[in-house]
Amino acid sequence: IGQAYQIVLSHRCAYSCGYCEFPHTPSPQLPSKSTVLRQACIGQRQGANQVVLTSGSAIDTHNEIITAVRFLGYSNWVNYLYSLCDALLKGKKGPHGAMFPVLDVGGLSVFEFRKLRGICPVMRLMLHSADVTLQNQMAHMNARHKTPSQCLKFLESMGRVGIATVTGIRVG
């Protein structure tokens, strides 16, 4: 297991979790493929062999994201993610071995998981709670995707299409 280097693609998120700072953090424009590759080189010089591409959940419906993805030359969010993963896998190999992408972008549809399967070695999806009653608390009130059943649905979809998954449960 190697060291990971995180690149935040966007702080945009479709949800408003009570504990998350993403909605309150300025989000720069989506990085281009060349910008991601330059950032990955910085991570590699620091000893990383993984690049964690992070964004908020379900952002493919935000007009800002749709416009940015099209401006960068992609028809949709998943094609943008695919291109970044492909570029990282085909990029220069550094002294610490190959850089490989890990997507941490929230749940996607089965169709989207299938599209990414061949180019994304690993996805990360955390379980946010094992207690359904937390949906009525401030932390998860505006985040219907945080229910245990919804998270398990995404995990099962990834498993069905053969995507390796890093998961766990948040404590605190």
Side-chain angles (χ1 to χ4, degrees):
I1 294 182
Q3 182 178 344
Y5 184 79
Q6 182 182 38
I7 298 174
V8 176
L9 302 175
S10 176
H11 288 117
R12 295 290 171 253
C13 187
Y15 306 104
S16 298
C17 301
Y19 55 85
C20 183
E21 287 300 313
F22 261 26
H24 311 291
T25 307
S27 189
Q29 188 71 313
L30 288 178
S32 66
K33 185 177 6 178
S34 61
T35 299
V36 168
L37 289 174
R38 279 194 305 275
Q39 290 176 347
C41 285
I42 292 169
Q44 198 169 49
R45 285 193 296 269
Q46 294 175 1
N49 65 353
Q50 302 175 34
V51 176
V52 179
L53 300 172
T54 302
S55 74
S57 297
I59 65 172
D60 58 331
T61 59
H62 279 259
N63 284 333
E64 173 187 340
I65 299 301
I66 293 167
T67 302
V69 164
R70 287 185 182 150
F71 176 79
L72 291 169
Y74 305 98
S75 60
N76 59 48
W77 174 244
V78 172
N79 287 343
Y80 170 72
L81 295 174
Y82 184 97
S83 177
L84 297 181
C85 291
D86 184 52
L88 288 165
L89 286 171
K90 292 179 179 174
K92 295 178 185 175
K93 309 292 186 241
H96 302 287
M99 294 290 281
F100 68 92
V102 176
L103 287 179
D104 184 9
V105 296
L108 302 169
S109 72
V110 172
F111 172 78
E112 293 167 326
F113 286 136
R114 280 191 183 120
K115 179 165 180 73
L116 294 168
R117 173 184 53 209
I119 202 74
C120 178
V122 178
M123 289 190 80
R124 188 163 73 177
L125 185 73
M126 299 302 288
L127 297 173
H128 298 276
S129 168
D131 183 357
V132 179
T133 64
L134 286 178
Q135 288 305 124
N136 301 322
Q137 303 298 316
M138 185 62 169
H140 293 147
M141 190 177 299
N142 297 315
R144 64 185 179 276
H145 71 297
K146 301 287 186 179
T147 63
S149 61
Q150 187 64 35
C151 289
L152 289 173
K153 177 183 156 190
F154 290 136
L155 289 170
E156 287 170 359
S157 294
M158 284 187 264
R160 262 193 311 253
V161 301
I163 294 177
T165 308
V166 173
T167 190
I169 190 160
R170 296 192 191 276
V171 178

